Amino acid sequence: MPGADAPAAAHEAQPGGAVGFESFLSRVGALLMGRRSYEVVRGLGGSWPYGDRPVLVATHRPLQPIVSQVRAVDGEIAQLVAQARDAAGNRDIYIDGGNLIRQALDAELVDELIVTLVPVLLGDGYPLFAGVRQRHQLEFVRHQRYGSDLLQVALRPAKKS
């Protein structure tokens, strides 16, 4: 999971509209993503966006990896995060997928959340934080505007007293 003290340079806008993604990804050693998120990335076509990083896909169903770095994993969230940490070495892990993020938040396994706000109401979709089992107090770490259309906010779960 991204460290709370990431340098400001990690949030520079990238060519092609990837808001700081390449700089962010340079700190990531492995990804843990849900099956739906994997299918979305897989369906985008083009080159594989995660390079040679291990990508662990949480799924109960058979998985046909599109690159050799992808593998299916199954288990409780703490086990999945531990596997991702092992695969990441001493680098951050990136959790992608609403269900996995909610589970990791509830298990207190998230160091930082990075949320990019786009001023468009879709009217449908999957709410990111609906379904968390407990209240989570968050602290603002930093924010960055990209033009007039995007606001990226980094949040850290508050320490419990």
Side-chain angles (χ1 to χ4, degrees):
M1 282 135 318
D5 54 358
H11 303 290
E12 297 170 0
Q14 300 293 316
V19 180
F21 187 70
E22 294 203 16
S23 293
F24 164 75
L25 200 58
S26 71
R27 300 186 326 259
V28 172
L31 290 88
L32 172 61
M33 68 173 51
R35 178 65 180 254
R36 277 192 298 228
S37 295
Y38 172 72
E39 294 298 339
V40 167
V41 173
R42 184 177 172 195
L44 294 175
S47 63
W48 181 243
Y50 307 118
D52 60 356
R53 288 165 193 81
V55 176
L56 289 67
V57 179
T59 184
H60 302 290
R61 297 177 287 146
L63 181 74
Q64 294 184 342
I66 59 173
V67 295
S68 62
Q69 296 85 351
V70 173
R71 67 181 166 103
V73 292
D74 187 14
E76 298 295 320
I77 190 65
Q79 297 168 317
L80 299 177
V81 169
Q83 288 180 54
R85 282 190 176 140
D86 287 345
N90 62 352
R91 299 175 72 199
D92 292 337
I93 66 169
Y94 167 24
I95 300 176
D96 192 2
N99 188 28
L100 285 177
I101 292 168
R102 290 187 295 271
Q103 289 179 53
L105 273 170
D106 284 339
E108 299 180 8
L109 297 171
V110 174
D111 298 327
E112 184 175 85
L113 294 163
I114 299 174
V115 179
T116 303
L117 304 171
V118 180
V120 175
L121 298 176
L122 299 175
D124 201 3
Y126 298 101
L128 181 58
F129 299 110
V132 291
R133 297 183 185 268
Q134 58 192 349
R135 182 183 176 125
H136 296 277
Q137 189 70 35
L138 303 172
E139 300 172 348
F140 286 103
V141 176
R142 66 186 166 278
H143 68 278
Q144 176 71 42
R145 285 193 70 138
Y146 296 95
S148 62
D149 293 340
L150 301 174
L151 175 65
Q152 192 171 76
V153 180
L155 305 154
R156 171 185 317 138
K159 301 277 188 227
K160 294 187 179 182
S161 312

